[in-house]
Amino acid sequence: HVQLVESGGGSVQTGGSLRLSCAASSIISGLSCMGWFRQAPGKEREGVTFIGSDGGTKYGDSVKGRFTISRDNAKSTALPLQMNSLKPEDTAMYYCAVACGQLCFFGAAAAVRHNFQVWGQGTQVTVS
């Protein structure tokens, strides 16, 4: 099974930037969706942004125009997330995840989470 390890979290002031990265232990081939979720204390884990094996991207409304997800190519095992213009409400544990054999979509949070089979352990982002 592929394993995911996140890095790059930390503390930053409002308006600052952070760059998260997710390293996969192996190439994820075929149809897939990779992405980032976040969970703040007392809140449901929510999708932040996704990128499909075709390179198509999707963003949650709260991060559009501020966050950017990317992959160098379909065989890249790295998944960076550039976060700009950070706000206190972005404070959360951020998780990398992979949905093998699935397309990316946004919808009901639980349904979206159910789509993903592999999760990292998370990296904390704190904005003050």
Side-chain angles (χ1 to χ4, degrees):
H1 292 291
V2 64
Q3 294 181 323
L4 304 174
V5 178
E6 303 95 336
S7 61
S11 296
V12 65
Q13 292 187 336
T14 298
S17 298
L18 279 175
R19 185 176 177 88
L20 305 184
S21 190
C22 173
S25 59
S26 59
I27 295 172
I28 299 165
S29 58
L31 178 68
S32 64
C33 177
M34 295 187 71
W36 291 90
F37 289 75
R38 67 186 180 187
Q39 187 168 19
K43 293 191 176 180
E44 190 174 26
R45 188 174 298 189
E46 63 174 1
V48 176
T49 176
F50 307 130
I51 186 165
S53 46
D54 63 351
T57 57
K58 296 184 183 295
Y59 294 91
D61 289 340
S62 63
V63 305
K64 284 180 181 176
R66 300 188 299 121
F67 290 14
T68 303
I69 191 172
S70 61
R71 289 178 73 183
D72 289 339
N73 55 65
K75 293 187 177 182
S76 174
T77 57
L79 187 70
L81 175 64
Q82 180 66 40
M83 305 187 297
N84 298 328
S85 302
L86 284 162
K87 305 174 181 180
E89 50 263 44
D90 294 318
T91 295
M93 184 72 78
Y94 282 71
Y95 299 89
C96 176
V98 172
C100 298
Q102 302 288 339
L103 295 171
C104 296
F105 71 92
F106 266 98
V112 175
R113 288 197 305 270
H114 182 72
N115 209 30
F116 288 77
Q117 306 98 345
V118 184
W119 295 81
Q121 292 189 330
T123 186
Q124 178 67 38
V125 171
T126 302
V127 185
S128 60

